[in-house]
Amino acid sequence: MSLPSIVYEILALQLIDSIEQEAAIKALLESNIGEQYCDPKSEEYNPIKAIIYLKDKDYDEACWLSILLIYTNDSEQADWAFMRKLYGGVGLNLKTALTWQQVNKSFDQRMALLEQLSSSLALSDPKPKFGHHRAYESINQLPLAFSSYIDFINEQGGHQALFRPKGTTLDKTAYFQKLYALIRKNVYRFGRLTTFEYLCLLGKIDLAEVEPDSCYIAEASGPKRGAKLLFGMLDDAKLDEHAIGLADYLNVGYQEMEAAICHWQKSPNRYIAH
């Protein structure tokens, strides 16, 4: 099946968007970022910059902020409205933000805190909205999702032991596979996309020595629809194989290819920036 040329042009624009987003993060890694970006009450608050600022100062906090960001799928376009309320601990009367230290308590203490936070978020006006990658997520599920993540991290010996283990013989892609399987198995509500994006973010910001081994197209509804439109009605393995081949041919990252195909399939005839 031959597609109109405009469809390929739109896909190319989506790929450019993905590549530019990757380049923007690399540029931030090389810039001088201040502490003001860490305060959810500050006008300058930016969780991506905060993660980069914290990564060499408070590793646990950088990883914790990363999972909050991926879980909410919040964005600068929304002025980080969800992250401001979530990390700010709306309704909790905390003296600090909702830090890793604040939530890493006993199960009962942690669940009480998270359930109160969930209720406050649900009652806040305006009620925060998950990004489009979390379209089926609910604030009511937040306490169990975060609590299971905390349990998992602690069972592994902490963020450092899990993401920066000493003496590992695995390369970046093999370790990505291992972590992907572990997180999918142990963390509530962490599906294909949440886990994939979390590990990709950790890798991009140098919080973990990981790199995706494929585009993980086969397990995702949006990217899979896009892959079938682009490559034809092939089986899952072939779709992933073709996506990898195209990414390798164009010399772009697997996450950039996955994101481009996902955004492209929503509007293949008209460019919508992501």
Side-chain angles (χ1 to χ4, degrees):
M1 180 182 68
S2 178
L3 297 172
S5 60
I6 185 65
V7 169
Y8 296 109
E9 291 175 18
I10 301 303
L11 176 58
L13 290 173
Q14 294 292 357
L15 268 171
I16 291 169
D17 272 1
S18 294
I19 293 165
E20 287 180 344
Q21 289 174 8
E22 168 85 0
I25 289 179
K26 286 182 178 178
L28 286 175
L29 285 168
E30 297 172 1
S31 63
N32 187 20
I33 293 175
E35 192 175 1
Q36 70 272 20
Y37 297 110
C38 301
D39 182 1
K41 296 177 182 177
S42 168
E43 290 184 3
E44 296 184 86
Y45 177 65
N46 184 311
I48 295 174
K49 291 181 179 180
I51 293 164
I52 293 171
Y53 172 81
L54 290 165
K55 75 183 186 74
D56 296 320
K57 298 176 178 66
D58 190 337
Y59 183 79
D60 281 323
E61 196 63 19
C63 293
W64 173 238
L65 258 183
S66 297
I67 198 60
L68 298 186
L69 179 59
I70 294 299
Y71 181 78
T72 60
N73 191 219
D74 203 1
S75 68
E76 194 166 9
Q77 287 72 31
D79 192 31
W80 309 112
F82 200 158
M83 285 292 291
R84 286 179 185 277
K85 289 186 175 183
L86 176 59
Y87 192 54
V90 62
L92 297 181
N93 298 316
L94 299 175
K95 293 181 180 179
T96 68
L98 187 69
T99 62
W100 176 251
Q101 189 175 4
Q102 289 276 8
V103 296
N104 191 18
K105 309 287 187 183
S106 70
F107 178 80
D108 289 343
Q109 287 178 303
R110 166 201 328 154
M111 284 301 292
L113 183 78
L114 292 172
E115 285 169 1
Q116 185 182 345
L117 174 63
S118 175
S119 297
S120 296
L121 286 167
L123 294 172
S124 65
D125 186 25
K127 181 180 176 180
K129 294 182 179 179
F130 288 91
H132 64 271
H133 283 183
R134 306 291 172 267
Y136 302 107
E137 205 57 47
S138 166
I139 288 173
N140 293 334
Q141 295 164 328
L142 183 151
L144 279 177
F146 287 175
S147 186
S148 69
Y149 175 81
I150 293 163
D151 277 339
F152 168 65
I153 294 299
N154 288 333
E155 286 166 5
Q156 301 299 316
H159 288 111
Q160 192 89 26
L162 180 63
F163 297 129
R164 283 182 175 170
K166 294 180 180 179
T168 180
T169 58
L170 295 177
D171 63 20
K172 287 185 176 184
T173 56
Y175 204 57
F176 187 102
Q177 287 179 296
K178 179 179 179 178
L179 290 174
Y180 180 87
L182 274 173
I183 292 172
R184 287 291 307 273
K185 180 181 178 181
N186 289 283
V187 183
Y188 179 65
R189 300 297 299 172
F190 274 47
R192 199 271 337 171
L193 190 55
T194 314
T195 306
F196 181 71
E197 290 188 342
Y198 182 42
L199 290 174
C200 286
L201 179 62
L202 294 181
K204 285 178 184 178
I205 299 182
D206 297 330
L207 288 169
E209 290 291 316
V210 293
E211 192 174 283
D213 54 298
S214 78
C215 301
Y216 286 74
I217 294 284
E219 299 178 56
S221 56
K224 187 174 180 177
R225 282 193 298 269
K228 285 185 174 181
L229 177 62
L230 183 59
F231 303 122
M233 301 302 288
L234 305 173
D235 62 36
D236 290 354
K238 284 292 183 184
L239 290 174
D240 223 9
E241 183 182 317
H242 280 36
I244 290 170
L246 182 58
D248 288 345
Y249 178 76
L250 296 174
N251 195 27
V252 299
Y254 295 151
Q255 189 192 16
E256 286 69 52
M257 178 58 69
E258 181 271 347
I261 290 176
C262 182
H263 286 281
W264 170 73
Q265 59 86 26
K266 297 173 188 174
S267 179
N269 297 296
R270 182 169 65 92
Y271 170 67
I272 300 174
H274 69 271

